[in-house]
Amino acid sequence: MDELQLNPLYEKVIDDLMGQQYSIVDDFFSKEEVLLLRTSLLEKYEEDMFKKSAIGKQSNEQVVDAVRGDFILWLDEHNASGGEAQFFDKLNGFKEYLNRTCFMGINEKEFHYALYPEGTFYKRHLDTFQNDSRRKLSMVCYLNDEDWKPEYGGELTIYLDENGSEKPIDIYPLQGRMVIFESQVLEHEVKPVKRARLSITGWLKTRG
Ligand code: OGA
Ligand code: MN
């Protein structure tokens, strides 16, 4: 077997996940990679390729503005080019790393761009569906412009459990910041935004 090359960034993510069920990394992608994704997202949004997000599984999807107000575009890894192809390359490396070092058994993934227009939010929820526990890790990388300010809102609030009492953590959607968390355990929400809020979001999954 090949010598396992340690990746300090991925090791930190794994340590964080084991210790606290979430990890925040501000340099998962390079600035160039983030800007390519941001540009591509904005182009595709302008071209009207996004659709209103829905809740529930495909067979049973509903648009519910009182729950979530973002617009999304699912990405097709097999037809990806440019920034998106680079994105999937890096994610595949990360996935292989997790499988080799933690035996996580990740063999599927799904990712979409998301844009929350001004005034929208995503109410508190869990990223798994009833009777479907394939989603293991949730990953969100923010593609906002460089000067995102706290007064724009749009925090990702995750609810941790500390010895039976709830501890909310607010995470600002700073450009390039990646948040990774355990899909099956951590409830979270996106607070109302006062400016369009951009991200690439998805899940690493097992086959079921
Ligand atoms: C989601 C979600 C969090 C974020 O899309 O399920 O919770 O910070 N996104 O955008
Ligand atoms: Mn979510």
Side-chain angles (χ1 to χ4, degrees):
M1 202 172 149
D2 288 1
E3 182 102 5
L4 186 61
Q5 194 69 44
L6 276 188
N7 178 317
L9 186 77
Y10 296 169
E11 288 297 319
K12 175 192 152 34
V13 172
I14 291 164
D15 281 353
D16 285 349
L17 287 172
M18 308 243 263
Q20 59 186 23
Q21 302 172 321
Y22 75 99
S23 181
I24 303 174
V25 272
D26 289 339
D27 54 355
F28 195 94
F29 294 107
S30 69
K31 173 113 183 167
E32 291 70 34
E33 288 168 327
V34 169
L35 291 181
L36 273 179
L37 290 169
R38 174 179 163 79
T39 305
S40 176
L41 182 157
L42 287 169
E43 274 171 17
K44 292 178 163 72
Y45 191 75
E46 293 291 308
E47 285 168 24
D48 244 355
M49 293 170 70
F50 283 51
K51 66 174 175 59
K52 191 65 210 308
S53 63
I55 54 175
K57 281 217 293 194
Q58 261 151 25
S59 51
N60 185 27
E61 275 194 339
Q62 288 176 295
V63 170
V64 185
D65 285 323
V67 176
R68 71 184 287 195
D70 55 326
F71 286 74
I72 64 172
L73 172 66
W74 286 102
L75 298 172
D76 177 3
E77 175 175 7
H78 303 293
N79 285 308
S81 59
E84 286 129 26
Q86 273 183 29
F87 172 85
F88 281 115
D89 274 354
K90 190 167 267 188
L91 271 184
N92 284 329
F94 178 60
K95 181 195 86 176
E96 292 308 323
Y97 198 93
L98 290 175
N99 286 343
R100 261 185 319 182
T101 57
C102 308
F103 309 103
M104 282 194 64
I106 305 289
N107 42 32
E108 288 184 31
K109 58 185 155 344
E110 52 189 6
F111 278 85
H112 61 60
Y113 283 133
L115 188 148
Y116 287 76
E118 188 186 331
T120 62
F121 50 80
Y122 192 161
K123 291 277 195 217
R124 182 167 171 168
H125 66 280
L126 207 55
D127 281 346
T128 49
F129 302 111
Q130 264 176 356
N131 304 321
D132 182 351
S133 56
R134 288 175 298 165
R135 288 178 169 179
K136 298 300 173 209
L137 291 181
S138 304
M139 303 182 73
V140 192
C141 180
Y142 300 109
L143 305 176
N144 292 314
D145 69 10
E146 220 168 20
D147 65 340
W148 187 271
K149 296 191 172 59
E151 58 262 35
Y152 301 163
E155 308 92 298
L156 166 64
T157 302
I158 57 181
Y159 295 93
L160 303 180
D161 176 90
E162 259 195 1
N163 311 314
S165 65
E166 185 167 279
K167 184 179 171 207
I169 309 272
D170 291 334
I171 303 164
Y172 282 97
L174 302 185
Q175 184 183 89
R177 169 167 287 172
M178 171 77 98
V179 185
I180 305 173
F181 58 91
E182 290 194 20
S183 309
Q184 295 177 28
V185 286
L186 285 193
E187 292 193 0
H188 56 280
E189 71 177 292
V190 178
K191 296 280 175 63
V193 302
K194 300 202 178 74
R195 291 256 151 142
R197 174 191 191 271
L198 281 48
S199 64
I200 187 165
T201 298
W203 295 273
L204 299 185
K205 303 166 52 166
T206 55
R207 201 163 276 138

